[in-house]
Amino acid sequence: MPNVSGHTELVGLMAYPIRHTQSPTTHNWAYDKLGCDVIQLAFEVDNDTLKDSVQAIRSLKMLGSNISMPNKTVVHQYLDEVDPAAQLCGAINTVVNVRDEKGEVSGYLKGYNTDGAGFWQAVKEDGIDFAGMKMVLIGTGGAATAIAAVGAIDGIAEMHIFNIKDKFYGRGEEMCEKINAQTSCKAYMHDLADKDLLKQLMAEADLFCDATGVGMHPLEDLSNIPDPSFFRPDLIVCDTVYAPRETVMMKQAREAGCTKVYNGLGMMLFQALIAIEKYTLKEITPELITYMKGQLGI
Ligand code: NAD
């Protein structure tokens, strides 16, 4: 329990619904461990109250705020600057009240998306250098586009994105256009119904990620991959789902002999730590990472 005083600084979390969130628990473990007199609190904020709530970051001199649905794709209009990766994926999950030269919050608000950076940081933490890699990604929702944006900016050479032909498909096509225009990564959009093409491209890929909700309740008994023969033992396999900790897709990959198989817990941890580093300007040390993994049971 943090020792709250008149000096304690505030980080927000603005979303609706939000009462189920794990975020304040995770953030407050980290602030405590870092010795920061900072607390995160969750606020029920929807699109109607977002403008005033963002203004409160300035007026209350908050360090910033995490942003979640339904605000991620609309908050940019109330900010002073948006980071390039957040611009590319069109969503912001972290608003930082930028410090001035004296180290005090300035009221100048900058938006970031730490979901994508968190995913790739978790991959890097395991010693994987993904620069130049060929990737197959399933999904074109919030998690997938954040992963695609940062991967494309940070050096993935070729990205094949698959999705079902639902309302998210067009978003994937737009994402590929933007990646091809703004980065050196070559991005292609495909229909997830084409399982022959999926199998062929997975056989040629270095890294595979499923960033849909398939594998998670209520789709916990399903996988987007028809059978284990789609996986090569040396393919790096990632799922963004963290509950359950092992999805049907991850089981299929392990059955095929894959050894580098990851759930979404690393992404969840590092998206939080990257935001915490931006709010507090404290370095994320290996000791903090180990402590947080222990707290989260990773
Ligand atoms: P979203 O609603 O924005 O996108 C959902 C995606 O899943 C879309 O691409 C959609 O087309 C696809 N999809 C939905 N039903 C499908 C089905 N039956 N078959 C195939 N594809 C289907 O959701 P999101 O926010 O991008 O979340 C996606 C997943 O990523 C969820 O499991 C979520 O828990 C996880 N996630 C994890 C983290 C983390 O930190 N690990 C962060 C964000 C999201």
Side-chain angles (χ1 to χ4, degrees):
M1 178 66 192
N3 199 4
V4 177
S5 74
H7 295 281
T8 304
E9 294 182 289
L10 179 62
V11 168
L13 165 57
M14 299 179 181
Y16 187 87
I18 196 56
R19 294 297 168 217
H20 63 284
T21 182
Q22 157 77 23
S23 178
T25 310
T26 305
H27 272 245
N28 294 329
W29 279 331
Y31 297 134
D32 197 31
K33 182 71 180 167
L34 284 165
C36 294
D37 192 4
V38 176
I39 186 170
Q40 187 186 49
L41 291 177
F43 299 101
E44 284 184 333
V45 175
D46 61 14
N47 288 177
D48 292 337
T49 51
L50 183 61
K51 185 179 180 187
D52 287 347
S53 302
V54 170
Q55 185 51 31
I57 299 175
R58 297 185 177 96
S59 53
L60 300 178
K61 298 191 174 166
M62 293 165 63
L63 298 185
S65 182
N66 284 25
I67 303 291
S68 196
M69 294 313 283
N71 303 319
K72 282 181 163 188
T73 53
V74 292
V75 71
H76 58 90
Q77 60 193 305
Y78 308 124
L79 306 181
D80 300 296
E81 189 180 341
V82 177
D83 167 76
Q87 268 180 38
L88 185 56
C89 72
I92 287 164
N93 75 342
T94 300
V95 171
V96 175
N97 196 348
V98 177
R99 314 279 184 127
D100 62 20
E101 56 287 348
K102 289 188 209 139
E104 285 166 14
V105 292
S106 64
Y108 183 91
L109 301 185
K110 183 166 178 181
Y112 296 89
N113 187 316
T114 66
D115 280 336
F119 173 87
W120 291 108
Q121 187 61 38
V123 169
K124 275 194 259 180
E125 280 295 313
D126 216 41
I128 295 166
D129 177 7
F130 56 85
M133 280 190 175
K134 186 166 171 173
M135 172 179 196
V136 170
L137 173 66
I138 304 184
T140 56
T145 47
I147 290 167
V150 175
I153 290 172
D154 284 0
I156 288 287
E158 197 174 312
M159 190 179 295
H160 291 274
I161 306 178
F162 287 79
N163 208 70
I164 55 174
K165 289 256 175 149
D166 65 356
K167 63 174 180 178
F168 288 92
Y169 194 87
R171 193 165 154 179
E173 288 177 314
E174 277 169 34
M175 193 65 203
C176 287
E177 273 174 37
K178 284 206 247 173
I179 288 174
N180 288 326
Q182 296 176 34
T183 77
S184 55
C185 175
K186 302 257 170 299
Y188 306 88
M189 189 66 212
H190 310 288
D191 184 355
L192 185 58
D194 191 346
K195 295 293 194 254
D196 291 339
L197 182 63
L198 177 66
K199 189 168 189 176
Q200 180 201 321
L201 289 169
M202 282 177 69
E204 295 166 7
D206 305 293
L207 194 148
F208 167 75
C209 175
D210 189 319
T212 67
V214 176
M216 186 180 85
H217 183 74
L219 307 175
E220 66 267 39
D221 297 329
L222 300 180
S223 168
N224 282 313
I225 305 302
D227 65 73
S229 71
F230 278 60
F231 297 97
R232 276 191 341 270
D234 62 339
L235 184 65
I236 301 160
V237 177
C238 308
D239 204 318
T240 56
V241 171
Y242 49 84
R245 292 187 173 210
E246 188 177 54
T247 59
V248 174
M249 184 279 283
M250 292 169 64
K251 284 194 184 102
Q252 291 171 313
R254 290 210 169 99
E255 206 182 308
C258 299
T259 51
K260 292 206 170 290
V261 181
Y262 305 93
N263 61 26
L265 278 172
M267 175 180 177
M268 188 186 72
L269 170 61
F270 284 101
Q271 62 80 20
L273 289 179
I274 293 166
I276 287 163
E277 188 171 34
K278 290 184 189 303
Y279 296 137
T280 63
L281 305 182
K282 294 260 191 182
E283 194 192 339
I284 300 306
T285 59
E287 189 198 353
L288 178 67
I289 294 169
T290 305
Y291 170 78
M292 293 299 290
K293 282 184 173 173
Q295 293 295 96
L296 290 164
I298 301 179

